[in-house]
Amino acid sequence: MFDNLSDRLEGAFKTFTGDNKITEINVATSLKEIRRALVAADVNYKIAKEFTDKVKEKALGSKNVLKAVKPGQMMVKIVQDELTELMGGQSVGINVKGAPAVVLIAGLQGSGKTTFTGKLALHLKEKRKMKVLVTACDVYRPAAIDQLTVLSEQVGAGIYKEPENKNPVEIALNAIAHAQDNKYDVVIVDTAGRLSVDEAMMQEIADVRDAISPNETLFVVDSMTGQDAVNTAKVFNDRLNFDGVVLTKLDGDTRGGAALSVKYTVDKPIKFVSTGEKMEQLDVFHPDRMSQRILG
Ligand code: GDP
């Protein structure tokens, strides 16, 4: 992931090899390349432009300070810091306080919701020592219930399901009652997705959300879809005002545009990234580590 972006950014710093100074002309040459690199990574032009404007301001503002630092190193540091900011600055964890805590999972079909539900269950069980219940509120695809059942067994989480019930609000409420009765610490509610955003789907998930008042609503999106991922995030956020983003399939996303621009677009933190099909392949998202990786 990000290989191309890393290579191109490295190229953009070539202007500053040796003692080449930070001057308006040198900075402008470098910024043009940085902007192109971001756009090639599928970052929207407006975001790329704003990004390079900020880098420019910092670079020109820094030309007389820190004489000990080489201009090239200084530019790398400035770009790295700005990339960290663009991706959200600080890492933001999930809120799982409650008896039980409730986490609602939303997103399009195929984005990786059910896989993530299993991964999050494992994460909370292993890292936070929580007793986890998952529930399948997909009333359209019986296969989705089977898939979650298999995953719950694999990760050692409880499962609540009502295959005959076609009312997702009822299933979610019953799951929470079941969790209370059986002393689960957290309930993860997996919901139905559609292939594209539609009104009925949005209404259904909004109804579930309003009924269960989750601690966290997480929006799951396939990072390989680049700008589309960002646009879908906007539609879901306008309707659901979700708490955080989960980027999936980062293992297949060579460009990285969604990771770089989703925070800017919806102003919600990326909380987790998923990097494979195995249950262990989930990471808490750290913007600083990601930008270090890009410029590593
Ligand atoms: P849902 O319809 O949103 O519940 O999506 P699924 O969880 O069923 O995932 C759709 C497909 O994507 C499945 O084949 C998953 O194994 C796969 N998948 C999910 N997350 C990842 C990931 O991070 N990396 C890769 N390579 N595949 C993933």
Side-chain angles (χ1 to χ4, degrees):
M1 200 198 35
F2 288 127
D3 289 352
N4 207 10
L5 178 64
S6 297
D7 289 350
R8 290 194 64 152
L9 286 178
E10 206 175 301
F13 297 126
K14 289 235 162 70
T15 332
F16 295 102
T17 41
D19 288 327
N20 219 344
K21 297 220 160 34
I22 293 197
T23 63
E24 293 242 8
I25 293 177
N26 288 341
V27 169
T29 312
S30 183
L31 291 182
K32 204 160 148 192
E33 258 316 292
I34 294 170
R35 194 152 57 232
R36 284 189 184 147
L38 290 172
V39 170
D42 207 12
V43 171
N44 171 296
Y45 182 80
K46 181 171 164 271
I47 301 177
K49 170 83 173 57
E50 220 171 278
F51 181 88
T52 47
D53 285 350
K54 283 193 193 146
V55 172
K56 179 178 176 185
E57 198 179 307
K58 283 198 179 166
L60 295 178
S62 73
K63 59 183 168 180
N64 297 320
V65 290
L66 286 174
K67 289 222 166 58
V69 182
K70 284 206 158 60
Q73 289 170 335
M74 173 77 92
M75 279 300 282
V76 172
K77 170 86 173 72
I78 292 170
V79 172
Q80 194 167 313
D81 287 350
E82 280 307 314
L83 281 175
T84 302
E85 278 309 306
L86 184 63
M87 290 187 286
Q90 297 281 48
S91 174
V92 183
I94 62 166
N95 162 16
V96 279
K97 288 199 189 86
V102 178
V103 182
L104 180 66
I105 312 296
L108 293 179
Q109 188 176 316
S111 60
K113 280 188 309 301
T114 305
T115 307
F116 172 70
T117 301
K119 289 179 175 193
L120 181 63
L122 180 66
H123 173 87
L124 294 174
K125 183 179 150 214
E126 301 268 303
K127 300 275 181 346
R128 310 253 189 134
K129 308 291 171 221
M130 297 180 96
K131 185 178 173 194
V132 187
L133 182 73
V134 297
T135 187
C137 284
D138 191 335
V139 295
Y140 311 100
R141 291 191 315 132
I145 304 179
D146 298 340
Q147 186 189 353
L148 192 61
T149 306
V150 171
L151 292 179
S152 67
E153 281 163 10
Q154 205 178 318
V155 301
I159 180 150
Y160 182 85
K161 53 188 173 182
E162 293 184 37
E164 304 307 321
N165 193 342
K166 296 288 172 218
N167 183 334
V169 170
E170 272 178 27
I171 302 172
L173 287 171
N174 292 343
I176 294 168
H178 177 81
Q180 274 160 349
D181 292 346
N182 293 279
K183 305 257 181 302
Y184 280 95
D185 301 310
V186 58
V187 188
I188 309 172
V189 181
D190 187 17
T191 56
R194 305 286 210 294
L195 289 173
S196 60
V197 179
D198 69 44
E199 177 48 32
M201 170 202 191
M202 283 297 174
Q203 189 59 50
E204 180 178 299
I205 184 129
D207 288 345
V208 173
R209 201 265 317 263
D210 293 347
I212 66 176
S213 303
N215 297 59
E216 288 269 336
T217 301
L218 296 178
F219 168 68
V220 177
V221 70
D222 177 347
S223 65
M224 289 204 290
T225 59
Q227 288 285 309
D228 272 353
V230 177
N231 295 336
T232 311
K234 186 158 179 357
V235 177
F236 271 79
N237 193 48
D238 286 349
R239 188 65 185 264
L240 289 178
N241 189 21
F242 54 67
D243 300 293
V245 178
V246 178
L247 285 178
T248 63
K249 310 187 195 181
L250 240 71
D251 48 315
D253 176 24
T254 52
R255 298 210 283 170
L260 290 165
S261 36
V262 76
K263 164 67 174 60
Y264 177 98
T265 308
V266 295
D267 197 23
K268 295 290 165 64
I270 300 170
K271 297 203 171 181
F272 291 98
V273 291
S274 164
T275 55
E277 295 184 84
K278 295 204 187 83
M279 288 295 102
E280 299 76 22
Q281 289 173 317
L282 181 73
D283 294 313
V284 171
F285 185 67
H286 293 280
D288 53 344
R289 289 186 205 163
M290 192 59 96
S291 61
Q292 264 165 29
R293 218 166 105 185
I294 296 170
L295 289 177

